Structures are given as structure tokens and as C-alpha cells.
Amino acid sequence: MSVRVQREDFDIGTEVKRLTAGRTDIGAVVTFTGTVRGDDGLASMALEHYPGMTEDELARVEAEATARWPLLASLIVHRVGTLAPGDNIVLVVTASLHRQAAFEAAEFLMDYLKTRAPFWKRELTTDGTERWVEPRESDDRAAVRWK
Amino acid sequence: MTVKLLYFAWVREKVGKAEEILDLPVDLTTVADLLAWLKGRGPEYAEAFGRPGVVRAAIDKRHVQPAASIAGAREIALFPPVTGG
């Protein structure tokens, strides 16, 4: 169970290998990767966060997932800094005995992370305008369904 | 009570600073009281905290509701709804 906030890109294969190295108890690994969409004339995106709280909050979200599902391993990696369309933003990996727990926990982690982890996105468009990304109501609804 | 305030995203931009240490009046007891008091500190604060119910808060790196007590807080962060993931 671990969380990381970093500027650098991540490699999904490397992360999964590291998480499952030497484990023969795991029967299912689910990965989710969020990437930057290049729609609405997006040129780049700057991600800022609240150092310290971000890591704490991600760890709390992960602990909650571990309490709800029989996870054997999990990982959350979230990038900060300037990202371009197509770049990776976030990685969630969950591992369990059978697939259902891993699938559900991965979805839960993403839904909770989106409404609780203190990250803020600022978009720069190709015509030079900058704007803070507004929260989406659908994200709030997605998180509420787990209550 | 002396407390460190942190501002993030557009709250930081509107206030014009990332953090400050303030001596709070003793009659402020909740996050909502603090937000209302900050709003009156000048035009840049009014700009940041004028719209009710928008700015969120964390006390000592934990999310809190507007009704939460600020007693004993060392660090209070104020920010827009989060947009990570």
C-alpha cells in the first residue's frame, strides 16, 4: 500500500512489476491510468497541490479502500507540474485474490481521489488563455455512491 | 490566536499571496467565522471569499466543514474545490 506524488512520468509495466514482485498470492491486478485530453484547444495543464496534505489524503483514501475490500497490494501515483495532452496524470493499481475486489477498489480510489485529494488543474489553451478547471458534479455523484 | 493560513489555486491568485501568519480575533470560532472575517480584510480578500459556499478548508491538513471549530489550529488552508485525478 503506497502513494506517490511526483513530477516525473511513470511506467505502468514497471509499477505493476514492482508491486507484485515475489508475490504468488495475487490473482488479479487492475490498473487505471488518467491522461490529459487535448480537447477545447488545450495546450498544456499545470497541476498544483498541497504538499503534505496530498500524501496524507491519498493514504487515507487508500486505507479506506483496504478496509472495504480484501486488497493484497495497492498503489496511487499522481503527477504534478506542467503536463501536455496525452501525458499521464494519475495511476491507480489494485491487486487482490479475485478480480471483483480489485476492479471495485480501483474505481473507488479514483472516485474518492477526485473529490478529496488537494490537487488543482489550471489549463492553458492554444490561443493563450488560462483557466482553472471547474469541479464536475458527476465526480461528486460518483464519490457519493460509495457512501 | 496566531495561525498560519495557506491559500491555493485561484484563492492564492486573488489574495495575492500563498501564505500568511495572522493573529485572529478571539471571537472567531468556526471556519465560517474565519471566512466571513477574511472577506472584510480588503478588496482582494472580498474577491477571493465573496462567493458564499465556494471556498473549502483544511485544518492541519484534514478537510473540514464550515461549522468546524478552528480552536487549536496551527495551519488552516483555504482553496477551491479540488480538481485532481
Side-chain angles (χ1 to χ4, degrees):
Chain A
M1 316 291 156
S2 65
V3 303
R4 273 183 3 238
V5 179
Q6 62 186 42
R7 301 187 81 84
E8 310 78 56
D9 194 12
F10 50 78
D11 179 73
I12 302 164
T14 307
E15 299 295 347
V16 171
K17 261 189 196 150
R18 194 180 298 154
L19 198 71
T20 57
R23 302 282 298 261
T24 54
D25 53 339
I26 292 170
V29 178
V30 166
T31 70
F32 172 84
T33 311
T35 56
V36 180
R37 280 189 315 276
D39 53 6
D40 299 330
L42 184 86
S44 68
M45 175 180 279
L47 258 151
E48 94 173 54
H49 76 123
Y50 179 0
M53 177 167 169
T54 311
E55 292 82 354
D56 289 357
E57 198 61 34
L58 290 176
R60 283 193 279 269
V61 169
E62 199 179 46
E64 205 160 322
T66 305
R68 286 178 180 225
W69 288 276
L71 294 182
L72 296 171
S74 63
L75 170 71
I76 304 172
V77 182
H78 204 298
R79 295 182 69 193
V80 291
T82 304
L83 303 176
D87 281 354
N88 291 326
I89 307 177
V90 60
L91 173 69
V92 161
V93 186
T94 51
S96 57
L97 204 54
H98 302 291
R99 70 183 183 282
Q100 192 184 0
F103 271 129
E104 288 181 6
E107 213 174 350
F108 169 88
L109 285 173
M110 276 309 302
D111 288 347
Y112 263 45
L113 175 161
K114 280 187 99 68
T115 56
R116 284 172 38 174
F119 292 101
W120 299 274
K121 292 183 183 128
R122 188 178 171 84
E123 295 178 339
L124 176 66
T125 59
T126 45
D127 63 13
T129 55
E130 290 190 41
R131 58 179 181 229
W132 289 99
V133 172
E134 291 286 325
R136 292 152 54 109
E137 263 182 55
S138 58
D139 288 337
D140 287 334
R141 282 198 301 276
V144 163
R145 75 198 159 112
W146 298 104
K147 293 243 187 264
Chain B
M1 182 178 88
T2 302
V3 69
K4 184 180 184 182
L5 296 181
L6 301 180
Y7 307 120
F8 290 97
W10 57 252
V11 174
R12 181 194 65 245
E13 287 185 344
K14 289 178 193 293
V15 172
K17 57 186 104 176
E19 59 178 79
E20 62 186 326
I21 291 170
L22 288 180
D23 200 15
L24 305 181
V26 288
D27 58 333
L28 300 185
T29 60
T30 66
V31 168
D33 292 344
L34 172 66
L35 290 171
W37 178 75
L38 283 169
K39 195 168 70 177
R41 293 193 82 231
E44 67 275 31
Y45 290 90
E47 183 71 22
F49 303 107
R51 274 195 296 162
V54 176
V55 173
R56 311 295 166 89
I59 293 181
D60 296 331
K61 301 188 170 73
R62 275 181 180 270
H63 289 292
V64 292
Q65 296 297 314
S69 167
I70 59 170
R74 292 184 299 275
E75 182 175 289
I76 304 178
L78 302 168
F79 45 78
V82 301
T83 53

